[in-house]
Amino acid sequence: MKKSAIRTSLILLLTLIPLASCIVTDPTLGAALVPGNQNISIRTATLDLPVDLRMADSLQSSISQSATVGAIRSRTFGLFHSDAAVSVTSAKDSVEWGANPTVRSVSLELIRDTSMVVDPSQIFIPQNYYVHQLTIDLDSTKVYNNSIGDGDYDPVPISEGVSLFLGGDSYTVTLKKEIGEKLLAIPTATRDSAELFMKAFRGFYIRCDDPKEGMYGGRLCTFDLSSSYLRLVWDFDDTDGNRKSGTAFFSLGQKHVVNRFISGSRDLEHADITQNLYMEGLNGIKPHIDARKLRDAVTSWAAASGLSTDKLLIAKATVSFPFEYDGDRDQFNYYPSSLFPCQRVQKEKRLNYTPIDEINDVYLENGEINRSLLQYTANISLYLQDLITRDREELTGKDDLWMMPILSYYDSYSSKTYYYSDYYNYTQSVLNGTAAERHPVLQLTFAVLD
């Protein structure tokens, strides 16, 4: 019998034992599931988890019609800043400007979806917003948090005066009339083609001020671009020579939008992890497990226990990351609802952080926060079984694990749930370090084939 088939039988046996134990004790229970030439005993072990801290660089941050703008500074994680680059396209074909068109006003109308803070008192703080014209084309290659740089937009704002945002449900940014004049200069045929229009009018870069140096707090606001728009009001002469006004609307982020995340938590890569581990959402610092070090930890433990990994069958393997309650009832407001192992996966020339396959099994630990036990626990059984059977030298960074918050999406058409690393919500959490009494561990339930 192949090892995978034996492992399946072992899992079935483990499932049957607790169900039958409340009725009768039978030492032969499940024997039919195991080959007659194999002697299997079930054992458990707990290993210290080799973990360090790494930044989640090149995080995919292109989110359909969703732009996040703002900044948060904290004592532990430093300054986190988010800007947004959004495309602009005509919301209606064949808009005619009429004769002698002149701009009356042009403005951005932004509809807030959510606000994220790490201090409740900061939810309605004033923030100065600025809008700039992009100097590059937005396309399908601009999908990461670092795809846009400071040199990719005109440094001179096109927003008129100071645009103060207090965190309400809607926000209007008045733009300079020269932006409207650019729109009026675009020919009808170009306006009717989204691709041609985005070449002629490259879109906007939206940012806000950082909190003042030495001050902590701040806010991130996510705007629903499907409800937001660019509005142009212009005057023109009709066919009778009468002066009239018209209003045109332009869509924001309908074709492309990418959020630019800049995290100041990189210094924590060199932090002393014996007492604390740190997790910042989006592209911030993450607990990281080196695949080679994890394999070494298991093989060293097996050798010290007189076991061979060639004979080891993993029935269950979980990683647990404990944390402490500090007495603040708001502490968990900023902790992610889950932390699950992800890998950097290259697919179709695009790099993504993707949860390992165990996330798809509803019966396995999915990394949800446990506020009673004060820990996150995630299952890595299939991953670990594969890891210990592979040659150490063939393992690369692609096999490493990153503990990341997870988003789920249920597709009603396919009746299937899809899981992604969280590229939407900003979170912060402090976990116990490697030398803490309750520290990160790998817990094994296994059998050894004789």
Side-chain angles (χ1 to χ4, degrees):
M1 180 179 285
K2 294 181 179 179
K3 182 180 283 191
S4 60
I6 295 175
R7 183 178 183 278
T8 300
S9 299
L10 177 60
I11 294 173
L12 289 172
L13 179 59
L14 288 170
T15 304
L16 288 171
I17 287 174
L19 292 176
S21 62
C22 62
I23 301 174
V24 63
T25 301
D26 184 353
T28 66
L29 182 65
L33 300 173
V34 180
N37 63 344
Q38 301 290 346
N39 180 20
I40 294 181
S41 60
I42 299 169
R43 313 181 195 180
T44 61
T46 300
L47 287 67
D48 292 344
L49 192 63
V51 60
D52 56 25
L53 294 170
R54 300 278 181 89
M55 293 290 288
D57 292 323
S58 300
L59 180 78
Q60 182 169 330
S61 61
S62 177
I63 309 173
S64 177
Q65 295 187 315
S66 179
T68 300
V69 181
I72 290 176
R73 179 182 284 116
S74 61
R75 288 178 172 83
T76 299
F77 296 93
L79 177 65
F80 182 89
H81 191 104
S82 179
D83 303 338
V86 302
S87 64
V88 177
T89 50
S90 181
K92 183 180 179 181
D93 293 341
S94 302
V95 176
E96 297 297 335
W97 301 133
N100 303 316
T102 57
V103 177
R104 177 177 291 189
S105 66
V106 58
S107 61
L108 280 182
E109 307 293 336
L110 301 174
I111 304 301
R112 184 186 61 84
D113 186 12
T114 59
S115 293
M116 292 171 277
V117 296
V118 291
D119 180 344
S121 68
Q122 301 283 298
I123 195 68
F124 294 114
I125 61 169
Q127 289 176 307
N128 291 329
Y129 272 47
Y130 306 91
V131 180
H132 302 257
Q133 187 101 52
L134 286 170
T135 57
I136 59 166
D137 295 331
L138 288 180
D139 55 37
S140 59
T141 66
K142 309 292 193 303
V143 295
Y144 303 115
N145 68 281
N146 53 9
S147 291
I148 306 294
D150 288 338
D152 295 331
Y153 62 90
D154 189 324
V156 179
I158 58 174
S159 42
E160 193 73 67
V162 176
S163 298
L164 189 65
F165 181 45
L166 299 177
D169 292 334
S170 62
Y171 176 48
T172 300
V173 184
T174 301
L175 304 182
K176 295 179 180 179
K177 287 187 176 182
E178 64 187 66
I179 295 302
E181 292 166 357
K182 287 184 179 181
L183 293 171
L184 292 178
I186 298 175
T188 301
T190 300
R191 294 198 306 274
D192 289 348
S193 167
E195 298 304 321
L196 292 177
F197 187 90
M198 287 188 295
K199 290 287 185 180
F201 194 91
R202 284 174 161 166
F204 297 134
Y205 184 86
I206 309 172
R207 65 179 182 87
C208 86
D209 284 334
D210 296 333
K212 291 182 179 180
E213 194 67 36
M215 296 185 64
Y216 299 99
R219 181 185 61 225
L220 300 172
C221 286
T222 298
F223 297 98
D224 177 8
L225 298 184
S226 66
S227 301
S228 305
Y229 51 87
L230 171 67
R231 178 171 59 191
L232 169 66
V233 180
W234 82 101
D235 297 323
F236 64 96
D237 295 334
D238 66 10
T239 54
D240 296 326
N242 298 316
R243 198 66 176 164
K244 292 186 175 180
S245 65
T247 303
F249 298 94
F250 298 82
S251 299
L252 301 175
Q254 187 178 60
K255 293 295 182 180
H256 300 291
V257 55
V258 60
N259 293 307
R260 183 191 182 192
F261 302 140
I262 305 172
S263 172
S265 62
R266 183 174 295 278
D267 289 345
L268 292 174
E269 285 187 326
H270 308 292
D272 179 4
I273 62 172
T274 56
Q275 293 305 311
N276 292 315
L277 291 169
Y278 303 98
M279 199 299 303
E280 185 182 38
L282 303 176
N283 72 314
I285 200 77
K286 303 288 188 300
H288 165 266
I289 302 171
D290 185 293
R292 289 189 177 187
K293 291 181 180 179
L294 180 59
R295 185 186 185 280
D296 290 346
V298 175
T299 54
S300 296
W301 158 81
S305 304
L307 305 174
S308 170
T309 54
D310 292 338
K311 300 291 185 178
L312 202 63
L313 290 178
I314 305 296
K316 182 177 181 181
T318 60
V319 291
S320 294
F321 287 82
F323 51 86
E324 304 303 329
Y325 175 55
D326 63 10
D328 180 2
R329 64 181 183 181
D330 293 325
Q331 174 186 352
F332 301 132
N333 292 348
Y334 318 112
Y335 277 51
S337 59
S338 66
L339 282 180
F340 195 83
C342 295
Q343 292 177 294
R344 288 164 61 102
V345 177
Q346 188 83 30
K347 289 184 178 179
E348 299 178 353
K349 299 181 179 181
R350 183 170 293 183
L351 179 67
N352 291 317
Y353 287 88
T354 302
I356 60 176
D357 290 341
E358 283 84 336
I359 194 69
N360 295 305
D361 192 327
V362 296
Y363 298 104
L364 301 181
E365 294 85 350
N366 62 1
E368 284 189 359
I369 188 172
N370 188 317
R371 291 181 174 83
S372 298
L373 298 178
L374 298 178
Q375 67 181 24
Y376 294 93
T377 301
N379 196 292
I380 63 166
S381 301
L382 299 176
Y383 167 85
L384 189 64
Q385 184 72 72
D386 176 69
L387 189 72
I388 63 176
T389 59
R390 294 171 61 188
D391 186 82
R392 185 185 190 279
E393 299 308 313
E394 73 175 80
L395 300 176
T396 69
K398 296 179 181 178
D399 301 297
D400 291 357
L401 300 179
W402 308 71
M403 299 303 297
M404 304 182 74
I406 298 299
L407 285 177
S408 63
Y409 166 71
Y410 179 74
D411 187 340
S412 58
Y413 292 100
S414 64
S415 299
K416 183 177 180 180
T417 301
Y418 296 90
Y419 299 91
Y420 308 90
S421 60
D422 191 342
Y423 47 69
Y424 184 82
N425 299 293
Y426 180 77
T427 54
Q428 294 180 351
S429 55
V430 179
L431 312 173
N432 290 0
T434 56
E437 182 178 352
R438 299 173 60 242
H439 56 273
V441 295
L442 168 66
Q443 294 175 304
L444 298 177
T445 301
F446 64 96
V448 179
L449 296 178
D450 292 339

